Amino acid sequence: MDTTATAPARRRMTPRQRRRLARGIQYAVVIAVVAVLAAVADWGRIAESFFQLDIAAAMFPAVWTSFWNTIVYTVLAFVFGMVVGVPIALMRVSSFAPYRWFATGYVEVFRGLPALLVLFLVGFGVPQAFPGIQYPGGVYGQVAIGLGLTSSAYIAESVRAGIQAVPKGQVEAARSLGMSHTRTMITVVLPQALRIVVPPLTNELVMLTKDSSLVFVLGVTTATMELSKFARNELTDSANATPLLVGGLLYLLLTIPLGLLARRLEHKGDAR
Amino acid sequence: MTTREAAGDAPIVRIEGLHKRFGDNEVLRGIDLEIAEGEVVCLIGPSGSGKSTLLRCVNLLEEPTEGTITAAGHDMTGPDADLDAARCDIGMVFQHFNLFSHLSILDNVAIAQRRVRKTGRAEAEAEARRLLAQVGIEGKERARPSQLSGGQQQRVAIARALAMKPRLMLFDEPTSALDPELVGEVLSVMKGLAAEGMTMLVVTHEMAFAREVADRVLFLDGGVIVEQGPPAEVLTDPKTERARSFLHRVLHPVD
Ligand SMILES: Nc1ncnc2c1ncn2[C@@H]1O[C@H](COP(=O)(O)OP(=O)(O)OP(=O)(O)O)[C@@H](O)[C@H]1O
Ligand SMILES: [Mg+2]
């Protein structure tokens, strides 16, 4: 404790007292802000905009179609992302330089472009450049590719990091047993790498769930509409914001469990 | 399988004029070595002398800079060497076991038979169980490597290498990563292998093992074989000063 006469008064506080004071000030500020907001906000109006039970109830059961479509779009894009991303990751770590160049270029391009732009390219650019092209599954195919391309770049980077995290000794053991390079990758490296990247891949799934809200730009029908578009339509029809709240809650119903799962898996990874 | 016309007297390992450089660092500086079928050779020498590098050159985990190697009937350094086929006939055991961490103990031993030899599952697993029993691991088939002690893991690693029915086994300090009380169980498995007539090249600091099991001891220093001969000679009465001072340091670490 500094008790020299020249020290200014506040310097004489112990670190503990100082921490307490700082904490007290922070609480005071938070309480003040909340109090001001509560006083200023027009609660009746907010409740009217967001909590109209009859409007919320009217969204059901139709909302389930769009909820289901959100899941389908997410899963399709993720599957496409994996099917393309894993080979790209393998090319990234290949000893054959042209593979590495291609994979690096691919990742840089699709990680650098906005998902919305890629979706436009797939939905409108490609059909215009190649008239007569038909995506398998119509809008579902367009979404799988349009969102999956961006996703595949992120997945490739995660998987590459996973591959590089597999200890070298595992590869040497496999090679010393007579496994070829490819055999070693398939039997030893990839299974271990994919285990390592389950948490980042789960996060990618969360990102995709949200990015599926971009699908509306492709022009969707009632049957192919996803959650955000549905909520926005309801917003327009009812001139009320309750549908946004319902839609948001339904997103959280998907993303929060995924986030929790990712965190659980991360901790499980620590234990190993 | 390569023809073994002169199997009786042809050496199972023949190394001629082997050099290995890592950049500017010449780690092996001209190794000539022949190992006869059934021979147990222990490789000793100070840290950094190139023991691991020499061992890893035999199955081409390291590519020699210069020189020729034939091993287990395969021309390892030839222009059209089939390294994958050759490595099936050359088992290797590592200091840190390197068991496949995502596979069960049984799968660790069965996987190479199934994926490389294309043996059926039932047959490969039966063979794996037999080998696990041989190295004294029973009732752990479903366990993961991380659930086993170091000594158990190393014995599984030996079984895994044996599953390919190699003609030659390479050991790189197989007991150096083990707690002292677990060293014996691994050495006794190796002793059993030697007694069955397996050809073995063993990098080790276990002088008692070398004395008892080796037919020949090589002392490597500075990337050359400085001295070699029967263990009784090299280990008790080394001719070179370098070997003498190394052995002194190993046998009397405190003074
Ligand atoms: N992959 C590599 N790249 C560069 N240098 C290497 C590599 N592997 C080994 N070396 C070098 O080669 C030399 C010999 O290494 P090596 O592992 O063969 O020695 P060692 O006799 O097995 O030693 P130890 O008893 O410590 O295991 C060392 O100087 C080491 O730094
Ligand atoms: Mg070594």
Side-chain angles (χ1 to χ4, degrees):
Chain A
M1 266 135 280
D2 193 354
T3 49
T4 39
T6 50
R10 66 186 171 82
R11 281 231 160 265
R12 278 198 212 128
M13 280 193 294
T14 64
R16 194 198 174 124
Q17 283 170 324
R18 227 176 297 148
R19 258 199 317 273
R20 260 205 214 148
L21 180 64
R23 174 82 43 99
I25 293 173
Q26 288 172 39
Y27 275 123
V29 169
V30 170
I31 290 168
V33 168
V34 171
V36 167
L37 281 182
V40 168
D42 181 344
W43 285 107
R45 172 136 203 155
I46 290 176
E48 215 171 282
S49 316
F50 280 101
F51 302 102
Q52 299 271 0
L53 266 184
D54 50 334
I55 293 180
M59 292 171 72
F60 292 86
V63 71
W64 290 123
T65 308
S66 60
F67 181 73
W68 175 244
N69 279 334
T70 291
I71 296 177
V72 170
Y73 290 144
T74 304
V75 169
L76 283 177
F78 187 73
V79 168
F80 182 92
M82 285 295 285
V83 167
V84 175
V86 170
I88 293 286
L90 288 172
M91 291 167 90
R92 282 275 271 173
V93 299
S94 165
S95 56
F96 186 57
Y99 282 169
R100 284 202 307 275
W101 298 332
F102 173 79
T104 307
Y106 181 95
V107 166
E108 291 305 336
V109 166
F110 287 108
R111 209 171 43 171
L113 293 178
L116 188 59
L117 187 108
V118 178
L119 207 53
F120 271 127
L121 275 177
V122 170
F124 303 108
V126 172
Q128 194 165 27
F130 306 91
I133 198 167
Q134 283 287 333
Y135 287 102
V139 71
Y140 291 98
Q142 284 181 21
V143 173
I145 298 170
L147 290 179
L149 281 172
T150 305
S151 190
S152 68
Y154 285 98
I155 289 175
E157 277 306 90
S158 296
V159 172
R160 178 191 57 79
I163 288 173
Q164 287 171 339
V166 175
K168 222 170 122 250
Q170 297 283 311
V171 174
E172 293 185 343
R175 297 308 301 272
S176 76
L177 288 165
M179 291 189 199
S180 66
H181 177 79
T182 309
R183 181 36 77 198
T184 300
M185 271 291 164
I186 294 169
T187 307
V188 176
V189 178
L190 269 185
Q192 295 190 29
L194 289 179
R195 229 158 278 213
I196 294 170
V197 299
V198 163
L201 289 189
T202 314
N203 283 329
E204 178 59 26
L205 212 43
V206 171
M207 303 304 280
L208 269 176
T209 308
K210 297 186 292 177
D211 281 353
S212 68
S213 64
L214 301 173
V215 166
F216 77 92
V217 301
L218 296 176
V220 288
T221 64
T222 322
T224 57
M225 198 179 288
E226 46 63 55
L227 201 45
S228 284
K229 172 74 172 158
F230 181 87
R232 224 162 37 113
N233 285 359
E234 295 285 305
L235 170 78
T236 323
D237 291 352
S238 63
N240 185 277
T242 305
L244 294 185
L245 184 83
V246 174
L249 288 175
L250 287 175
Y251 272 108
L252 295 182
L253 198 64
L254 293 173
T255 53
I256 289 181
L258 277 174
L260 291 176
L261 181 71
R263 237 183 308 160
R264 272 264 306 274
L265 294 168
E266 252 164 69
H267 287 293
K268 212 166 131 198
D270 294 345
R272 263 189 292 123
Chain B
M1 274 263 143
T2 329
T3 46
R4 295 166 63 180
E5 325 90 280
D9 23 309
I12 195 161
V13 176
R14 174 182 278 139
I15 298 173
E16 283 171 342
L18 171 62
H19 290 255
K20 174 65 184 176
R21 267 187 293 274
F22 292 107
D24 291 338
N25 182 12
E26 185 164 25
V27 175
L28 297 178
R29 303 160 176 266
I31 302 278
D32 295 290
L33 174 64
E34 289 195 354
I35 299 176
E37 187 123 39
E39 202 180 3
V40 176
V41 176
C42 281
L43 194 54
I44 63 171
S47 180
S49 58
K51 305 180 297 291
S52 299
T53 306
L54 172 54
L55 204 70
R56 293 158 57 86
C57 278
V58 173
N59 67 353
L60 265 276
L61 277 188
E62 296 292 354
E63 192 167 351
T65 312
E66 220 180 281
T68 58
I69 299 171
T70 53
H74 300 269
D75 180 3
M76 306 296 290
T77 45
D80 35 41
D82 182 352
L83 292 182
D84 294 332
R87 288 184 185 130
C88 292
D89 297 332
I90 308 171
M92 187 161 202
V93 174
F94 301 86
Q95 182 173 355
H96 297 287
F97 333 130
N98 299 358
L99 291 181
F100 301 132
S101 53
H102 64 301
L103 296 179
S104 70
I105 296 305
L106 190 67
D107 286 341
N108 261 277
V109 182
I111 191 82
Q113 300 172 71
R114 292 183 53 202
R115 297 283 180 261
V116 180
R117 295 255 196 248
K118 310 291 180 197
T119 312
R121 187 194 191 105
E123 193 185 332
E125 289 189 351
E127 175 67 2
R129 279 176 213 280
R130 192 186 68 71
L131 287 164
L132 285 171
Q134 183 186 331
V135 300
I137 305 281
E138 268 157 310
K140 302 269 185 207
E141 285 82 0
R142 292 277 140 239
R144 290 291 153 132
S146 58
Q147 295 169 290
L148 269 56
S149 74
Q152 290 172 325
Q153 289 188 50
Q154 193 60 300
R155 286 183 282 143
V156 172
I158 294 173
R160 176 178 69 174
L162 291 175
M164 297 305 281
K165 303 206 174 13
R167 297 178 56 201
L168 164 70
M169 286 282 285
L170 309 171
F171 295 84
D172 191 359
E173 301 201 35
T175 59
S176 295
L178 298 180
D179 290 338
E181 79 269 21
L182 303 178
V183 168
E185 62 192 53
V186 172
L187 291 182
S188 78
V189 166
M190 292 169 62
K191 212 185 292 183
L193 261 186
E196 285 176 13
M198 176 62 77
T199 312
M200 294 164 52
L201 179 55
V202 186
V203 176
T204 187
H205 292 295
E206 297 292 333
M207 294 305 156
F209 174 82
R211 197 181 303 265
E212 189 185 335
V213 180
D215 298 303
R216 185 160 39 128
V217 173
L218 305 180
F219 173 68
L220 195 70
D221 194 10
V224 292
I225 297 173
V226 174
E227 192 164 339
Q228 61 175 307
E233 266 171 41
V234 177
L235 297 180
T236 39
D237 186 22
K239 290 185 202 56
T240 60
E241 176 51 36
R242 283 203 273 178
R244 217 186 330 263
S245 82
F246 168 73
L247 283 168
H248 185 82
R249 268 180 284 132
V250 172
L251 298 173
H252 310 280
V254 253
D255 35 275

